[in-house]
Amino acid sequence: MSHRKGSLSPYCFFVRDQLPELQRRGLPVTRVVDAVPYCSQAWALLTKEEKMAYTEKARKWNEKKRSQKTVKETCNLAHPDPACLTTKTPSAPSLPDASAMSWKNDQAVVTDIFYFLNIYSHGRLPSHCEQRFLPCEIGCVKYSLRDGIMADFHHFIDPEVPPRGFRYHCQAASDATHKIPITGFHLSRTSYAVVLRELLEFVQPTRGVRPHFYCRSNDRFRINWCLNRMASLTGIESHLELLAVEDLVIEMYQKKFQKEPSKTWVCRELDVFLWDFSSNTRCKWHEENDVLCCALASCKKIAYCISKSLANVYGVSLTAAHLPLQDSDYGESTNMKMVILDAGRFQKMKVEGSGCDRHCASPSQDQEFVPSNCDSPCGVKTSLYGTSTMRGRGITRLLNSASDLSKSFSN
């Protein structure tokens, strides 16, 4: 049976009534059109009287729609608007994105303030669920190329109850990453309203100037969804716009050298593991439990990467606010190069700082310029081998204890 354009059939009204029940059963339906294939059998089982009720609903709706359309056309004929007088609703000025940013000079780049933001969740739920994410941790740092990390913001968030049937899924995803439990967490958690209010107080936006928030591009959807979810449930308007930090690095490099760097290089610089175990990087709970995935640490490591790659390019001297202080376990004279674990025997090769194999890189060579034939941009300092030779404090202590144990057995 064909229907005129804009009219609805009785079957459409029946499907719309069945939509909540289908969602309760866990079927992937969010719109009426998604539910149509699941309702044909139930529609066929309806009695003639039940179908007549939906036919009457459709008739009333279609008549109302046609009458509204007729009234609108009549008004337009009676009071036509000249084309030249057609008005446009003024749109709000859009937030600046990384590609539209323009700095007058290098000093403007150095002094500009950026906010790096990340929100962790108890996993990612299917698209048909109302709760796509369950925010559980937020981290943010205030950063400038001149001053480094100026302040940080961190909270554990009181999450919503997982949808029925998804608790194991959410806890398994948490155990594989940040390890924050859904229930039974001994530390205090903050409500959505307090998190948003304190985040806005942290950035302190001035009138007419909106802060620049950045995150990794693959985290952008999750963080945006979590911010919108918290704002909708609390009624607090945040108006926070997230931009990709990869675009920011490209813009900063392009401003200095007048050419766009390789995106492969940008992603490689931001994906380093050099500071995973550095002091004062993770929050206290993740540090004490030796968990790498921390929302605050992810923000700080973005700041470290930008400082290491671009501070010298803009003539900024690195300080403890730009990069974490080296742990006492790392020495200038010793560089752990290789560990072989074979049949219970621990072998350790040390490379001395001066009288060593000349093919091995020393820590001081990390800041050397890369030759022009490498894929790193010219003028940007990076590691000679592309990856750092630094090790985390935990593995270094393990290697040292293993060495002492092997020596005691040999004696």
Side-chain angles (χ1 to χ4, degrees):
M1 180 179 178
S2 61
H3 295 275
R4 288 181 295 179
K5 185 177 180 181
S7 63
L8 294 181
S9 67
Y11 183 62
C12 289
F13 285 88
F14 172 74
V15 173
R16 188 170 64 180
D17 289 347
Q18 297 299 310
L19 194 60
E21 175 63 20
L22 296 175
Q23 292 174 339
R24 190 189 64 79
R25 286 160 51 188
L27 295 174
V29 291
T30 56
R31 301 173 301 167
V32 172
V33 67
D34 300 329
V36 167
Y38 300 99
C39 299
S40 57
Q41 292 183 358
W43 172 259
L45 296 176
L46 291 182
T47 62
K48 186 176 181 180
E49 291 76 13
E50 290 172 332
K51 289 184 178 180
M52 284 299 298
Y54 286 106
T55 302
E56 184 65 18
K57 283 184 180 180
R59 185 186 64 79
K60 290 181 179 180
W61 189 92
N62 292 328
E63 287 182 355
K64 183 178 179 182
K65 189 72 181 267
R66 283 195 295 270
S67 63
Q68 290 176 350
K69 184 178 180 181
T70 304
V71 171
K72 185 176 179 181
E73 291 176 350
T74 305
C75 292
N76 290 338
L77 290 174
H79 306 283
D81 291 331
C84 58
L85 298 180
T86 303
T87 58
K88 266 189 173 181
T89 304
S91 58
S94 59
L95 289 171
D97 55 17
S99 61
M101 293 185 65
S102 59
W103 296 287
K104 295 181 180 179
N105 47 44
D106 289 356
Q107 186 64 21
V109 179
V110 169
T111 57
D112 202 357
I113 295 177
F114 312 101
Y115 293 90
F116 303 131
L117 178 67
N118 201 353
I119 299 177
Y120 279 173
S121 165
H122 290 300
R124 177 172 182 161
L125 299 176
S127 58
H128 67 270
C129 294
E130 180 188 359
Q131 300 166 262
R132 295 298 305 279
F133 300 96
L134 299 175
C136 61
E137 185 188 17
I138 183 172
C140 183
V141 297
K142 181 180 180 181
Y143 173 84
S144 74
L145 200 55
R146 181 188 64 186
D147 300 320
I149 296 177
M150 306 163 67
D152 60 64
F153 172 86
H154 177 263
H155 273 301
F156 290 109
I157 305 174
D158 189 11
E160 301 176 58
V161 178
R164 182 179 298 177
F166 286 98
R167 176 174 288 275
Y168 176 79
H169 167 83
C170 295
Q171 189 59 64
S174 301
D175 292 342
T177 51
H178 49 70
K179 300 188 184 302
I180 301 173
I182 298 178
T183 57
F185 194 45
H186 66 282
L187 297 180
S188 61
R189 306 200 200 209
T190 311
S191 64
Y192 286 173
V194 175
V195 168
L196 279 181
R197 194 179 304 115
E198 293 189 2
L199 179 61
L200 294 175
E201 292 175 359
F202 175 72
V203 300
Q204 295 179 349
T206 58
R207 186 175 181 83
V209 178
R210 298 185 182 180
H212 307 318
F213 281 90
Y214 295 90
C215 67
R216 296 297 302 270
S217 57
N218 53 351
D219 298 329
R220 197 172 179 180
F221 173 75
R222 182 187 70 247
I223 300 173
N224 256 327
W225 191 96
C226 292
L227 289 173
N228 293 333
R229 176 73 173 181
M230 291 189 289
S232 63
L233 292 181
T234 60
I236 300 175
E237 296 184 1
S238 57
H239 299 296
L240 301 181
E241 182 77 9
L242 274 178
L243 309 173
V245 71
E246 293 89 344
D247 295 338
L248 173 65
V249 176
I250 290 175
E251 284 295 315
M252 296 175 78
Y253 180 88
Q254 195 169 11
K255 172 66 179 177
K256 187 66 177 179
F257 296 105
Q258 304 301 317
K259 62 179 181 179
E260 186 172 326
S262 165
K263 289 190 176 181
T264 303
W265 171 81
V266 173
C267 294
R268 190 184 67 185
E269 289 296 301
L270 293 171
D271 284 337
V272 297
F273 303 97
L274 178 61
W275 299 286
D276 281 355
F277 295 94
S278 296
S279 301
N280 196 31
T281 299
R282 293 171 287 179
C283 71
K284 184 179 179 181
W285 186 82
H286 282 107
E287 178 78 22
E288 291 176 348
N289 291 275
D290 201 23
V291 179
L292 292 182
C293 292
C294 172
L296 181 61
S298 65
C299 300
K300 287 187 175 182
K301 286 189 285 187
I302 291 176
Y304 297 159
C305 292
I306 294 178
S307 297
K308 186 176 183 293
S309 301
L310 295 171
N312 291 325
V313 170
Y314 280 92
V316 176
S317 301
L318 295 176
T319 65
H322 293 87
L323 294 175
L325 295 175
Q326 298 298 334
D327 298 323
S328 59
D329 292 336
Y330 303 137
E332 291 275 347
S333 59
T334 308
N335 181 21
M336 298 291 184
K337 198 62 188 165
M338 183 182 298
V339 179
I340 303 175
L341 305 180
D342 183 17
R345 293 175 298 170
F346 300 88
Q347 300 176 358
K348 180 172 55 178
M349 297 174 59
K350 290 187 178 181
V351 181
E352 298 298 330
S354 55
C356 63
D357 180 1
R358 60 186 174 183
H359 297 292
C360 294
S362 65
S364 61
Q365 287 175 322
D366 261 358
Q367 296 297 323
E368 293 298 323
F369 282 102
V370 177
S372 58
N373 58 349
C374 294
D375 60 354
S376 297
C378 62
V380 178
K381 297 186 177 183
T382 184
S383 173
L384 186 61
Y385 287 89
T387 57
S388 170
T389 59
M390 305 290 278
R391 303 293 176 102
R393 292 172 296 152
I395 189 63
T396 304
R397 287 196 296 267
L398 173 63
L399 298 175
N400 289 335
S401 62
S403 175
D404 295 338
L405 183 62
S406 62
K407 288 180 181 178
S408 64
F409 281 129
S410 62
N411 291 335

